[in-house]
Amino acid sequence: MGYILSCGTSTPAYEINQETGAKFAEEMFRGSFKDLPRLLKAFQNGEIESRQFVEPMEWYSSEHSLEEKNSRYCTHAVQHGTVAVDRALNNPDFLYSGVSCSEIDAIFFISSTGLSTPSIDAKIINHLPFKESVKRIPVWGLGCAGGASGLARALDYCKAYPDACVLVLSVELCSLTFQRGDLSKSNLIGTSLFADGIACMLVAGSESHLLELSKLRFMPNLKASKSVFMRNSEEVMGWDVKNDGLHVVFSRDIPAIIQNWLGPNVRTFLEDQGVSQEQIGMFLAHPGGKKVLDAYTKTLNLNDDALLHSREILRKHGNMSSATVFYVIQRAMKEKQSSRPALSLSGALGPGFCAELLLIKWEEME
């Protein structure tokens, strides 16, 4: 078992509302579509109010080479990643006292929005006093599923080493992949959804002495995980890599896939764990967008409250790719309640096409 002890985030400096984003898109895509006014309604109807970016809005109005965008990615990823790690290790909302970097046995680094060798985690280690024997596990290319997958792999690690404590750091700077010259509908929809987010989870095994530092009344215990892969579905979601960078691939069939493919896999996962769907009090889902959340609600027969945290994170931050699910879980951890449903389901979808599912038990601490 693995317990989530803490979470830390780093908020990019530039926030825009959806009205500003729609005006930007109208200027960028003018003359590209006959029905542009109808398509721009995605900004109004997506249940997103604000998003955060690492560069000011005017920066995205100009052309930038892949080299320049990736250089910005590396700089911002190290800066914000370092902050998120420090906040996860020293978050007074979750911990009675801070955790030393020397206590960390492994770092899982998750990203799909930039390239770096050595990976960003190596650069962050050179800014913070981690021990030289810390294990590095960089994971690239899982897109929105990366955060949930990172937690699942942290669970695997803590099962193997129950006295361990690990970090799962997600850095997604989606805005730096924006293609000014890509006049496709996928790019327009992506422009209405995606944002920048950085979050870090502190996860400890069941025998870690750091569990005693938790201030949480209800600690999230990662009980089980499941990975699901859909064969021959590479075109559903991902990047089309071209000379000028990463171009978004975003199928309109994703909501239908959730209903026809994900729903049965979720039910099978719960059955394998001896859990009924009625026992799941919260679905801490990665909120890919309004249509995705609506599809979750329909196929899993959820009530309005089950996706409250996911909808609130989408409203305030947009889709931050893999980091988003960490924001959702952190919001649930901060919720002040005298009691709460014992079980939650968390999950996310990503390129492949794939899904990562997590069963979370909220254990009341003495």
Side-chain angles (χ1 to χ4, degrees), residues 155-180:
L155 169 60
D156 293 341
Y157 190 96
C158 288
K159 283 181 177 179
Y161 305 99
D163 61 344
C165 191
V166 305
L167 292 176
V168 187
L169 171 63
S170 170
V171 177
E172 298 290 14
L173 308 183
C174 304
S175 71
L176 297 182
T177 70
F178 174 70
Q179 296 293 341
R180 188 175 181 274

Side-chain angles (χ1 to χ4, degrees), residues 21 24-25 56 100 119 133 177 184 194 211 249 254 259-260 264 302 304 313 338 357 363:
F24 172 84
S100 169
S119 50
S133 60
T177 70
S184 66
F194 290 110
L211 294 176
V249 176
I254 293 173
Q259 294 184 42
N260 300 324
L302 301 172
D304 291 340
I313 293 302
S338 57
L357 302 171
E363 291 194 6

Side-chain angles (χ1 to χ4, degrees), residues 19 29 63 65 89 101 119 127 151 182 250-251 289:
E19 182 179 354
F29 291 90
E63 292 284 357
S65 66
L89 293 174
C101 289
S119 50
H127 284 76
L151 285 178
D182 181 357
F250 203 56
S251 172

Side-chain angles (χ1 to χ4, degrees), residues 25 27 61 81 102-103 110 115 170 179 185 209 232 244 302:
E27 181 179 335
S61 299
S102 63
E103 297 273 13
I110 315 296
L115 303 172
S170 170
Q179 296 293 341
K185 287 186 179 180
H209 68 279
N232 304 314
D244 55 352
L302 301 172

